[in-house]
């Protein structure tokens, strides 16, 4: 999307430079507009969204209207509702806030008369003031609010009621008063427990520690410490902090510590494992480290909680959907549950971050009834997260119309969590092209985008999004009101209820859970999305799809260059020179280009230029595929798609860049899917712009190689904090077209080193190179981008933290690429243990000292025992390319492909030979290479071998001791799983059992007994 064509979402996290002078004790009060603060503003576009300091958002003095009179104020803060201003007052002894609140009556259109705002003040997590409804004609309302001693964060919040149009809420003359004689006092407490997930047979203990305002540790020996539990039927908390479980369930315990009249609180969440008949159920991941607990309340409401490695990472949260046929968030009666199913699936996708995607989970379906309708919750639990979706159908299983009016789905985030979130614009168009900003969960208020990332106090990262979004539903966002609960909601573009037919299945709601590497390299959206659909007008074959890097000249020469034959040939030549697969002709390639969507039906496509066939032929000769831009309105109906797509495909066009969707309303989501389907019929690859976030389309529609939904180079204001956040947020859920360029443009504060790194850090099935041919040819980066791969066989996050820095390596074949970015000056460390054996040539692309665009190339030989360290400037970065001396495909890759090609079951002789060939190839790998082959694929090979020989046996005493002993069991097991080869002579000795044989199950059971995995094993089975 072009910046000058339409307004876009914009938000600033403002840190004012007017820091509070010290020592503060010399002053009794201070205006808030003279203090530092953070701001999150829920309504934002290019005209409004910043905070007005000592003036309105229109730049004029603050004023409130009462009747025909105006009151003016020299000091104060103004922000459009919804908004939250956060002041750090820890240790400042703030005791009172005074202000005059109202709606600023300035140059903010007649819509200000509709504004209806609430004003809220919170001290830490405690609400200490809430106004009534405030409108433009309410006038000025003086307030005076006492602030609890020891407050750390003071929040000034405004929230829209009926309408927020024109709601320029203002805190005029806002002033804090301080008590310099308050002395030292309890500033905060932290509650910890020896375990947060435990069984009925166990207990747990909470301990608390405190920090005084002066920074020292609090002596709590004389403090009054009390514990309260949210549900005493689940567990009880003793005065000594000992937690005693009563029944399986989930509950939170709050520790309240009072010392010298100051009370501070902290809350922890707990899960008591086990199931309760018809009211509580648990699903565990294959590795048993992740669990989801589902509970049915006495009122028939559903709630869930999730934990990983003993930490509760999603607090007790609600489930359900509201519809015209009933509210399925309460009044539900349990009907039954399915048997747990193991999902075992290994696949790949065209636009990929690694060669092998492993879909391994446990799934269970829970069925409830309300009236004449059935409501199901399908739960999946993975080693790296949880997911669920809803199914609604009539009791008699007949098709019925259904209006979905909303969801009760929530994610309750643990207190104190760090967050990285993009604000969702409340306007009629939105394309996910804002920045992700850091914050605390308690600070967030308003609408936020998916994906959404948070980090618990225990260090777990949780990434929220949705998957398998089809035209049966609208896209979703998250709404929160400062209570830590993220509620799924239709995006603002969905103005009416969603209309569906029963049986209806919702999109998946999912949470990726784990360390930062797990959430960054996850494949959850793809795992939850279906395989390419069966025959829907085409044969389902996607072997024609080719990911690839593309040249693109919009940022070089705009629309004029797209319509210039000579320039087009020049960049086709350049793409061929660089080994890039595509050249994108953008808006202007057609004779009648649309102007900001204002032509008839928003577009004016009428055909192609006379020289266009020559361009297609020229590109074919050069081995470059032509992709053309199109406004989505030009493909909005079946008739238009049937008219245009076959003509374009017939010309030799290989793909389309479809733009300006700008909505996730149900009708727009249906249009996405219709265009996916029809482009597949005509074998056209796709790049989606003005688009929504990824929801797993790259698995279902492999030709949809990439999409925008990212604030990219076109804005010419790329910043280091954005580059250091995107790998962990937007890029973690699917490919993103950043329109990469070497030279930082406009207001960007980055370096060319950072610009290069982003080509590695952001996964993209169609890297779009936006720089000029001259910029690449004149730079040392030329060798990095020549033959640059679009997809990867392996991805590793080496280091990083959202918003601060990121270091990543990706492999294609046997060649590794690395990239690193940073906000503050830092040395990137590339620990090369991920390399294979032997020597590699490392090409290191480092920032030069002269200018932001300088790149210095140096070369050195390395092995997997080395670590590369590269200095990076502020908002800078670096890149590396590692080429082995003997550039052969990794052996494990070849075996992985053999195993992926194996059938699920053997039905023919040639498949027997296929299995035997795969086993031979696997056995020839070194132990290190064997470990690189996905475990599920090895298990698949073993299952097929068991089908060929369901009772594998070996005979005799292996080590010649005259009977089975520990050594025999271990050697037999290693032989049976292919780790070692035993000689025939070793099998000619005495019988192991009376039956004269040892089975593979015997060997495994013996080992499990010997290492204590099982508590009993019949001794007669061990001679």
């Amino acid at each position: 999307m072009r910046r000058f064509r339409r307004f876009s979402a914009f938000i600033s996290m403002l840190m004012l430079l007017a820091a509070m002078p010290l020592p503060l004790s010399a002053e009794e009060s201070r205006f808030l507009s003279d203090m530092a603060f953070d701001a999150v503003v829920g309504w934002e576009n290019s005209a409004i969204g910043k905070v007005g300091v000592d003036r309105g958002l229109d730049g004029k003095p603050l004023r409130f209207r009462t009747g025909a009179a105006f009151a003016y104020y020299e000091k104060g803060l103004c922000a459009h509702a919804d908004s939250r201003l956060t002041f750090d007052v820890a240790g400042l002894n703030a005791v009172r806030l005074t202000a005059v609140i109202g709606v600023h009556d300035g140059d903010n259109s007649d819509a200000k008369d509709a504004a209806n705002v609430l004003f809220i003040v919170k001290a830490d997590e405690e609400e200490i003031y809430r106004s009534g409804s405030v409108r433009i004609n309410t006038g000025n309302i003086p307030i005076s609010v006492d602030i609890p001693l020891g407050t750390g964060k003071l929040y000034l919040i405004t929230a829209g009621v009926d309408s927020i149009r024109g709601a320029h809420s203002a805190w005029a003359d806002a002033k804090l008063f301080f008590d310099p004689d308050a002395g030292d006092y309890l500033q905060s407490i932290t509650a910890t427990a020896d375990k947060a997930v435990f069984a009925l047979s166990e207990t747990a203990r909470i301990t608390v520690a405190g920090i005084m305002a002066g920074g020292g540790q609090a002596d709590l020996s004389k403090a009054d410490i009390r514990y309260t539990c949210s549900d005493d039927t689940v567990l009880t908390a003793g005065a000594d902090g000992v937690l005693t479980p009563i029944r399986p369930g989930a509950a939170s315990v709050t520790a309240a510590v009072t010392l010298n009249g100051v009370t501070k609180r902290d809350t922890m969440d707990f899960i008591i494992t086990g199931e309760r008949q018809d009211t509580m159920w648990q699903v565990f991941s294959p590795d048993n480290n992740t669990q989801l607990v589902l509970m049915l309340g006495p009122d028939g409401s559903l709630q869930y909680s999730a934990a990983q490695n003993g930490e509760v990472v999603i607090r007790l949260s609600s489930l359900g959907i509201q519809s015209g046929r009933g509210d399925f968030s309460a009044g539900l009666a349990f009907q039954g549950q399915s048997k747990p199913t193991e999902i075992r699936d290994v696949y790949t996708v065209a636009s990929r971050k690694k060669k092998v995607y492993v879909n391994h989970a446990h799934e269970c379906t829970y069925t409830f009834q309300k009236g004449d309708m059935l409501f199901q919750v399908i739960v999946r639990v993975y080693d790296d997260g949880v997911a669920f979706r809803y199914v609604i159908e009539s009791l008699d299983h007949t098709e019925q119309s259904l209006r979905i009016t909303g969801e009760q789905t929530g994610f309750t985030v643990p207190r104190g969590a760090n967050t990285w979130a993009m604000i969702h614009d409340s306007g009629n168009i939105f394309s996910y092209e804002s920045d992700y900003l850091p914050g605390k969960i308690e600070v967030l208020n308003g609408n936020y985008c998916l994906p959404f990332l948070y980090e618990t106090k225990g260090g777990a990262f949780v990434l929220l999004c949705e998957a398998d979004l089809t035209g049966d539903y609208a896209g979703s966002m998250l709404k929160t009101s400062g209570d830590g609960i993220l509620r799924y909601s239709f995006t603002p573009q969905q103005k009416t209820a969603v209309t569906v037919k029963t049986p209806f299945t919702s999109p998946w709601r999912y949470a990726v859970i784990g360390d930062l590497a797990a959430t960054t390299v996850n494949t959850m959206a793809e795992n939850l999305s279906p395989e390419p659909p069966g025959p829907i007008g085409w044969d389902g074959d996607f072997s024609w799809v080719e990911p690839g890097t593309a040249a693109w000249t919009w940022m070089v020469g705009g629309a004029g260059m797209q319509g210039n034959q000579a320039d087009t040939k020049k960049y086709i030549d350049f793409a061929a020179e660089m080994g890039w697969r595509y050249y994108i002709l953008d808006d202007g390639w057609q004779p009648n280009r649309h102007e900001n969507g204002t032509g008839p039906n928003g577009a004016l496509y009428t055909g192609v230029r006379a020289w266009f066939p020559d361009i297609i032929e020229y590109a074919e000769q050069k081995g470059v595929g032509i992709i053309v831009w199109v406004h989505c309105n030009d493909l909005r109906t079946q008739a238009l798609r049937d008219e245009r797509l076959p003509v374009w495909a017939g010309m030799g066009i290989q793909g389309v860049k479809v733009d300006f969707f700008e909505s996730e309303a149900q009708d727009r989501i249906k249009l996405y899917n219709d265009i996916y389907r029809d482009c597949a019929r005509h074998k056209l690859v796709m790049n989606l712009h003005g688009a929504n976030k990824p929801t797993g389309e790259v698995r279902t529609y492999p030709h949809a190689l990439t999409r925008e939904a990212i604030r990219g180079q076109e804005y010419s204001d790329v910043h280091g904090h954005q580059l250091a956040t995107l790998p962990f947020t937007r890029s973690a859920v699917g490919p993103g077209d950043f329109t990469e360029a070497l030279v930082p443009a406009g207001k960007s504060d980055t370096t060319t080193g950072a610009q290069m790194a982003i080509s590695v850090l952001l996964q993209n099935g169609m890297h779009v190179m936006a720089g000029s041919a001259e910029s690449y040819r004149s730079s040392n980066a030329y060798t990095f981008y020549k033959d640059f791969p679009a997809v990867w066989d392996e991805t590793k996050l080496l280091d990083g933290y959202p918003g601060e820095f990121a270091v990543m390596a990706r492999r294609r074949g046997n060649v590794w690429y690395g990239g690193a970015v940073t906000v503050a000056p830092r040395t990137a460390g590339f620990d090369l243990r991920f390399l294979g054996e032997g020597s590699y040539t490392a090409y290191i692309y480092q920032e030069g000292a002269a200018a932001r665009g300088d790149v210095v190339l140096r070369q050195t030989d390395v092995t997997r025992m080395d670590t590369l360290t590269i200095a990076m400037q502020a908002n800078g970065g670096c890149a590396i390319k590692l080429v082995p001396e003997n550039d052969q495909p990794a052996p494990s890759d070849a075996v992985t492909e053999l195993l992926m090609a194996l059938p699920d079951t053997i039905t023919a002789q040639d498949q027997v030979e296929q299995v035997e060939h795969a086993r031979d190839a696997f056995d020839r790998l070194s132990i290190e290479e064997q470990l690189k082959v996905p475990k599920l694929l090895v298990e698949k090979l073993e299952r097929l071998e068991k089908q060929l020989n369901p009772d594998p046996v070996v005979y005799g005493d292996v080590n010649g001791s005259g009977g089975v002993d520990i050594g025999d069991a271990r050697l037999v097991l290693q032989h049976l799983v292919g780790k070692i080869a035993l000689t025939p002579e070793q099998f000619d000795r005495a019988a192991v059992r009376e039956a004269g044989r040892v089975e593979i199950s015997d060997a495994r059971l013996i080992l499990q007994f010997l290492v204590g995995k099982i508590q009993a094993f019949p001794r007669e089975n061990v001679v």
Side-chain angles (χ1 to χ4, degrees), residues 918-967:
R919 165 55 73 185
D920 289 342
F922 182 79
D923 288 345
R924 286 195 297 270
L925 295 178
S926 66
I927 295 296
E928 183 180 58
E929 288 292 334
Q930 286 181 356
L931 294 175
K932 293 180 181 179
V933 178
K935 182 180 178 182
L936 276 187
L937 289 177
V938 180
E939 292 174 351
K940 180 180 182 180
L941 174 62
E942 293 173 351
R943 288 197 305 274
L944 292 173
E945 289 178 320
K946 191 168 185 179
Q947 180 186 344
L948 292 175
N949 185 5
D951 189 22
V953 296
V954 292
Y955 295 94
D957 171 23
V958 173
N959 64 13
S961 65
V964 169
D965 59 17
I966 294 176

Side-chain angles (χ1 to χ4, degrees), residues 5 94 114 141 241 310 421 531 567 593 598 609 627 678 684 827 883 990:
R5 291 191 189 169
I141 304 172
E531 287 283 317
D567 285 336
R593 62 181 296 265
T598 57
R609 300 178 188 275
I627 293 174
D678 290 339
L684 295 167
T827 297
V883 181

Side-chain angles (χ1 to χ4, degrees), residues 218-267:
D219 180 3
L220 301 182
S221 60
K222 297 182 180 179
D224 179 18
I225 305 177
R226 302 189 181 190
Y227 301 96
T228 56
C229 182
S230 64
D231 190 343
D232 289 332
T233 67
V234 173
L235 60 84
T236 59
D240 56 357
V242 173
L243 307 180
T244 303
I246 306 299
R247 62 181 180 128
S252 59
V253 175
T254 298
V257 178
T258 302
L259 182 65
N260 298 329
V262 175
T263 301
K264 294 295 176 182
R265 296 175 176 83
D266 195 14
T267 300

Side-chain angles (χ1 to χ4, degrees), residues 717-728:
D717 63 351
V718 176
H719 299 289
H721 72 87
Q722 178 190 10
L723 299 189
T725 305
L726 288 174
F728 309 109

Side-chain angles (χ1 to χ4, degrees), residues 151-320:
T151 294
K153 300 284 187 181
L154 184 69
Y155 304 112
L156 305 188
I157 304 165
T158 62
V161 184
D162 302 323
S163 172
I164 60 172
R165 295 187 63 199
H168 291 198
S169 51
W171 305 80
D173 279 351
K175 184 180 291 188
L176 274 182
F177 291 83
F178 308 95
D179 181 1
D181 300 321
D184 208 7
Y185 53 85
L186 185 63
Q187 178 64 52
S188 63
I189 68 162
T190 301
T192 57
D194 53 1
K195 60 177 75 76
V197 180
F198 54 102
L200 284 171
S201 59
E202 302 176 292
T203 61
R205 180 185 292 274
I206 293 180
T207 57
V208 292
I211 299 294
M212 302 300 285
Q217 290 289 327
D219 180 3
L220 301 182
S221 60
K222 297 182 180 179
D224 179 18
I225 305 177
R226 302 189 181 190
Y227 301 96
T228 56
C229 182
S230 64
D231 190 343
D232 289 332
T233 67
V234 173
L235 60 84
T236 59
D240 56 357
V242 173
L243 307 180
T244 303
I246 306 299
R247 62 181 180 128
S252 59
V253 175
T254 298
V257 178
T258 302
L259 182 65
N260 298 329
V262 175
T263 301
K264 294 295 176 182
R265 296 175 176 83
D266 195 14
T267 300
M268 292 196 66
D269 299 288
F270 297 91
I271 293 177
I272 310 304
T273 58
E275 295 195 349
R276 301 198 309 261
Q277 186 176 7
D278 298 347
T279 59
M280 177 177 167
W281 310 270
Q282 293 182 103
V283 184
F284 288 86
S285 61
D287 67 0
N288 286 320
N289 291 329
T290 304
Q291 69 183 104
L292 184 143
V293 177
L294 181 67
M295 290 182 288
L296 182 66
D299 61 349
S301 63
L302 280 172
Q303 293 181 298
Y304 77 99
S305 183
Q308 187 179 83
N309 297 324
E311 180 188 7
V312 178
V313 293
I314 301 175
R315 301 177 60 211
L316 203 57
S317 307
S318 60
L319 295 170

